Amino acid sequence: MASKHSAQSHPPGKLIRDDTLDRVPSLSGQLSSTGIANLDVDDTSSSDERMHNMTKENGHVAKDAANDSTPESRTPDEEDIEDYDTQGPDEDALVDATRAGKVAPGGSSEVSEDRTNGQAHHRSRRKSIPIRLEKTDKKGRYMLHADDAEMREILRQYLERQKSSAQGKRSGLRDLVFTRRFTQFDRQNPSNTESPFYGFFTLFWLVMAGMLLRVAAYNYKIYGSILGSNEVLKLMFSHDVIVLGLTDGVMCASTAFGLALQKLIAKGYFNWRTSGYIIESVWQAIYVFGFIGWTFYREWPWTHTIFTVLHCLVFLMKQHSYAFYNGYLSQVYRRKQLLERKLDDLQTKTPLDSPKANASESNLLKSNGHSSPSPDGTGLRQRRKSTQPSSANLSTSTQELTSILSTISTQNQQLTPDQTRAFSSILHSEIDACTTELRGKCSPDPNSNSSKNSYPHNLTLSNFADWTILPTLVYELEYPRQQHTNWWYVAEKTSATFGVIAVMMVISQAYIYPPVHETVRMKEAGLSVAQRWEQFPWIVSDMLFPLLLEQLLTWYVIWECVLNVLAEITGFADRGFYGPWWNSVGFDEYARDWNRPVHNFLLRHVYHSSISAFHFSKSQATFATFFLSACVHELLMFCLFKKVRGYLFAMQILQVPLVALSRTSLLKGRRVLGNVVFWVGLFVGPSFLSSLYLVV
């Protein structure tokens, strides 16, 4: 096509000599085995319909060109991308030993026969495949569509993998690094015993012991018992304890639905990409709302409700990670099976003896690490010489691969040796990539080429049960493990768990229950919101220190005691359940460090998934992650107080501008000031929010 508009009148729906592609949105025709297309205007569908279908079609090959028409506005990378709207004929871009395609007066391109030394090659197989070239909304960018869906998908993913490799990007699901380490306060951690602040840790527990003695003495003086009136303990064990245990057992057992679904997907009964993920998503919605509704139906107290809802959310995240990771691997597994079938089909075809190699096929062999005899007098002379992959190189590879695909797509045909070797090398490369993806981080089995935990061998009841009790929310095929279990360590952490829970019950009974009971009494007495609001500052002050202690002890008993017990029993070696969040200078740092298992889950399945699936920017993905976290926290408040107020949701969303503020010149680099702001928020926030939900 020429680079200028023709001054002649344009027949409707036709192209003439020296015409451009600006007037037509789509061309269709045949692509010959030489790489030259016979195209004409495609007027079978409307422009809007073609653009709609273009965005949905899964197997297309894009030719990248510059987005802007002026060279000054292009970036250095964009300057290497050719604009096919402004480009004139270039003899260097034509295939030797062929005649260039010309635009006939009727509008179609006349393609000459492929000749070598003046003699035409007449072969019994088809020399072309149906294709369509569609114009997009970006200048110089077109979509080349082939008709063989399976081959087209192999071609597309192969080129995407090459492009990602050239750009230093990794395709596939986000990997997380698991390694052997201890928690910060674990006595097995060398940095803990060598810390200059180790004495403050000892002082904290001495203060807790002194507080317990003081509360016990006060209770004995007033009530005649060191336990006092003990309303909290009675609340925990006086209602539906057996039903609570049975509910938790059913909640745990019902997660096996994900295992059953994945086994059906692996056997081919369902396809994860079409129906599998929909079934799993519907099940997860039924799961979480069903068990939350059960707590309302049983009218459980807040102790039972909080335990059930938190455990339900943990199992929900585990199910989601297990299902979507294995669902992704099922697609890789299906692709590997397709590639192996195509490779077997390729090997059943008898190569056609050919003394000379086609240049495009030789280029593919070289690009895949294979050597091939140099053709005599034939070949594709490239416009640029570069060792780095570029969009132009990828588009050239697209034409070369499409030429080979056109040969394979026809039944009962023969291939040249170079065609066989070129496409076979591509298939082997893709099969190896799929095998690596399916093996993940699994250690190789010395008796076989695969691992016992590689997909689909991991879809067993024992593997699922092991995953269910592992102290992590991100599924992997294998994790670092320790060889032996220290049962004395398990007994130590278990004792610490029950001891800390006892301390929390004492704090709740002595310091939190009285102000909460007072707010309930005011509501039952019929006091208006204005009258209750007068008591709001005093309720906040009464619960400042108790709720801060409860928050610290709750964090300690879960992330230091319970998770370490589970890790020791299961041999889970990566115990980085938290980081030094107490040194945080911003709430984004606190969100990363105080709960590493949930952070890793959100990182993979919310943040990175929103970028890859919905094409969010990083800032949009960050906001989506905070938004989901805020919704879950508000759901927890709804289950606890049985009303929707949105206070915690608003405070969670408020962290987004606070994070931006921490990166400004006002706070950036001022770690002490940032840490003070963080601790003030952590100190005042829980009591302020709890008082809002209680009073209003």
Side-chain angles (χ1 to χ4, degrees):
M1 299 296 176
S3 61
K4 299 184 297 181
H5 288 283
S6 174
Q8 307 175 35
S9 60
H10 295 81
K14 293 295 183 180
L15 291 177
I16 63 176
R17 187 180 302 275
D18 295 333
D19 206 350
T20 69
L21 295 181
D22 290 334
R23 297 189 307 106
V24 291
S26 176
L27 299 175
S28 63
Q30 302 287 321
L31 181 67
S32 68
S33 59
T34 62
I36 300 178
N38 181 9
L39 303 177
D40 202 350
V41 177
D42 182 11
D43 55 356
T44 59
S45 60
S46 65
S47 176
D48 293 340
E49 182 182 356
R50 281 191 295 266
M51 293 300 294
H52 178 72
N53 294 334
M54 178 184 63
T55 58
K56 287 188 173 181
E57 187 165 359
N58 192 24
H60 63 264
V61 180
K63 303 188 77 170
D64 293 316
N67 293 330
D68 300 320
S69 59
T70 57
E72 293 80 10
S73 62
R74 298 178 184 175
T75 63
D77 292 337
E78 292 173 334
E79 291 177 356
D80 292 335
I81 303 174
E82 297 162 349
D83 188 344
Y84 292 96
D85 280 343
T86 60
Q87 168 183 304
D90 189 345
E91 296 297 330
D92 291 339
L94 303 179
V95 180
D96 290 346
T98 64
R99 290 189 292 120
K102 300 179 180 179
V103 180
S108 61
S109 300
E110 296 177 350
V111 185
S112 64
E113 294 179 347
D114 185 10
R115 301 177 182 271
T116 305
N117 298 327
Q119 300 295 326
H121 290 281
H122 298 285
R123 299 178 181 178
S124 60
R125 69 176 185 272
R126 186 183 67 183
K127 293 186 178 182
S128 63
I129 57 174
I131 63 168
R132 187 173 72 257
L133 186 69
E134 288 186 354
K135 186 177 180 180
T136 69
D137 56 348
K138 294 184 178 180
K139 184 176 179 60
R141 184 179 178 89
Y142 300 88
M143 314 301 289
L144 180 64
H145 300 265
D147 281 352
D148 191 329
E150 291 181 344
M151 290 298 188
R152 188 175 62 218
E153 182 68 9
I154 294 174
L155 172 64
R156 183 185 66 82
Q157 295 195 17
Y158 171 74
L159 292 176
E160 283 185 354
R161 193 183 301 276
Q162 281 193 330
K163 186 176 181 179
S164 298
S165 177
Q167 295 175 350
K169 298 179 180 179
R170 182 192 180 279
S171 60
L173 205 61
R174 166 87 177 187
D175 274 340
L176 297 175
V177 178
F178 290 88
T179 185
R180 298 176 182 273
R181 49 185 169 178
F182 298 102
T183 53
Q184 297 284 332
F185 291 110
D186 195 346
R187 62 176 177 80
Q188 300 180 95
N189 191 342
S191 62
N192 181 29
T193 56
E194 298 172 1
S195 172
F197 299 99
Y198 182 79
F200 284 99
F201 182 71
T202 304
L203 175 63
F204 175 82
W205 291 113
L206 288 176
V207 171
M208 290 295 100
M211 185 196 67
L212 286 178
L213 291 176
R214 190 265 177 194
V215 171
Y218 179 82
N219 287 337
Y220 184 79
K221 175 183 176 182
I222 301 299
Y223 302 101
S225 171
I226 60 174
L227 299 177
S229 56
N230 211 15
E231 289 88 355
V232 174
L233 188 62
K234 293 177 182 178
L235 191 66
M236 292 177 62
F237 295 100
S238 63
H239 183 68
D240 266 3
V241 177
I242 296 178
V243 177
L244 176 65
L246 293 175
T247 300
D248 194 60
V250 172
M251 190 163 53
C252 179
S254 58
T255 60
F257 175 88
L259 171 63
L261 178 61
Q262 291 302 321
K263 290 180 75 70
L264 292 175
I265 291 173
K267 293 180 180 180
Y269 292 102
F270 297 103
N271 188 327
W272 173 257
R273 183 176 294 175
T274 56
S275 60
Y277 83 95
I278 297 176
I279 297 174
E280 180 64 32
S281 300
V282 171
W283 160 251
Q284 290 178 16
I286 295 173
Y287 180 88
V288 65
F289 290 111
F291 282 106
I292 290 177
W294 177 251
T295 64
F296 282 82
Y297 174 76
R298 299 296 300 182
E299 296 182 351
W300 279 345
W302 67 269
T303 53
H304 296 47
T305 300
I306 290 299
F307 173 80
T308 302
V309 173
L310 289 179
H311 216 185
C312 177
L313 292 175
V314 168
F315 282 133
L316 177 69
M317 288 185 283
K318 276 184 167 288
Q319 288 182 88
H320 184 91
S321 185
Y322 181 85
F324 278 78
Y325 189 85
N326 282 294
Y328 165 75
L329 292 182
S330 71
Q331 295 300 115
V332 178
Y333 185 66
R334 290 169 65 93
R335 172 172 167 77
K336 181 184 176 183
Q337 291 178 319
L338 170 64
L339 292 168
E340 290 173 343
R341 288 197 304 269
K342 293 299 180 182
L343 183 61
D344 292 340
D345 182 65
L346 180 67
Q347 292 173 347
T348 59
K349 298 179 184 294
T350 304
L352 179 69
D353 293 335
S354 176
K356 297 181 180 180
N358 183 277
S360 62
E361 294 150 8
S362 300
N363 290 339
L364 281 175
L365 287 171
K366 294 177 182 179
S367 66
N368 285 278
H370 298 270
S371 59
S372 178
S374 301
D376 298 329
T378 63
L380 180 67
R381 298 199 298 272
Q382 296 184 356
R383 191 173 286 125
R384 293 184 180 90
K385 304 295 183 181
S386 173
T387 58
Q388 296 296 329
S390 66
S391 299
N393 294 353
L394 290 177
S395 63
T396 301
S397 299
T398 298
Q399 296 174 357
E400 296 166 353
L401 285 175
T402 306
S403 176
I404 296 177
L405 292 179
S406 67
T407 304
I408 299 175
S409 62
T410 303
Q411 298 292 333
N412 301 322
Q413 61 182 349
Q414 292 180 325
L415 305 174
T416 65
D418 285 326
Q419 285 179 326
T420 303
R421 287 195 299 270
F423 200 75
S424 177
S425 67
I426 294 173
L427 293 177
H428 278 295
S429 175
E430 291 297 283
I431 290 173
D432 291 342
C434 290
T435 302
T436 302
E437 194 79 26
L438 294 173
R439 188 170 60 244
K441 298 187 179 73
C442 295
S443 53
D445 189 346
N447 300 324
S448 64
N449 294 329
S450 61
S451 171
K452 63 179 182 179
N453 287 331
S454 62
Y455 187 89
H457 306 299
N458 65 314
L459 300 178
T460 61
L461 185 60
S462 60
N463 180 276
F464 182 80
D466 179 68
W467 153 248
T468 302
I469 60 176
L470 283 177
T472 179
L473 300 175
V474 176
Y475 182 78
E476 292 284 351
L477 297 174
E478 276 190 5
Y479 302 91
R481 299 295 185 102
Q482 61 182 21
Q483 301 299 323
H484 305 286
T485 301
N486 186 346
W487 292 106
W488 287 109
Y489 179 84
V490 173
E492 172 193 333
K493 290 297 183 181
T494 304
S495 301
T497 300
F498 288 103
V500 174
I501 291 176
V503 173
M504 293 172 61
M505 290 175 59
V506 170
I507 294 174
S508 298
Q509 178 65 49
Y511 300 107
I512 297 178
Y513 181 79
V516 172
H517 180 71
E518 178 62 19
T519 58
V520 174
R521 186 197 63 79
M522 288 190 297
K523 288 184 178 181
E524 292 177 348
L527 272 67
S528 64
V529 175
Q531 291 174 314
R532 297 198 303 268
W533 190 258
E534 293 176 358
Q535 300 299 318
F536 179 80
W538 306 108
I539 297 174
V540 172
S541 62
D542 288 341
M543 293 196 299
L544 273 175
F545 289 97
L547 281 180
L548 178 63
L549 281 176
E550 289 285 77
Q551 185 177 7
L552 295 176
L553 293 176
T554 300
W555 170 83
Y556 183 83
V557 75
I558 295 176
W559 282 269
E560 178 61 36
C561 298
V562 174
L563 294 185
N564 268 317
V565 168
L566 292 175
E568 188 68 26
I569 293 175
T570 59
F572 188 76
D574 189 345
R575 305 186 183 179
F577 305 128
Y578 59 89
W581 57 265
W582 45 89
N583 295 328
S584 300
V585 296
F587 286 97
D588 57 334
E589 187 177 353
Y590 171 69
R592 288 193 301 269
D593 288 340
W594 85 280
N595 189 349
R596 288 277 178 83
V598 171
H599 169 72
N600 290 337
F601 174 86
L602 295 175
L603 182 65
R604 172 191 276 184
H605 295 290
V606 180
Y607 179 81
H608 286 289
S609 293
S610 62
I611 292 176
S612 60
F614 302 108
H615 307 290
F616 284 4
S617 64
K618 290 185 177 180
S619 58
Q620 290 173 329
T622 300
F623 180 79
T625 306
F626 271 98
F627 182 82
L628 178 63
S629 177
C631 291
V632 173
H633 281 82
E634 187 60 34
L635 174 65
L636 190 61
M637 293 296 102
F638 168 71
C639 297
L640 181 60
F641 294 102
K642 305 297 187 295
K643 56 186 177 182
V644 178
R645 291 293 184 267
Y647 305 134
L648 183 55
F649 176 84
M651 290 296 179
Q652 289 281 108
I653 296 298
L654 188 61
Q655 291 183 13
V656 177
L658 288 178
V659 169
L661 179 64
S662 66
R663 297 172 180 174
T664 61
S665 58
L666 180 64
L667 294 176
K668 189 175 182 180
R670 302 181 181 181
R671 297 191 60 83
V672 175
L673 179 59
N675 192 241
V676 168
V677 173
F678 158 73
W679 273 111
V680 169
L682 201 66
F683 181 51
V684 178
S687 59
F688 181 79
L689 287 171
S690 299
S691 300
L692 279 176
Y693 281 101
L694 288 169
V695 171
V696 181

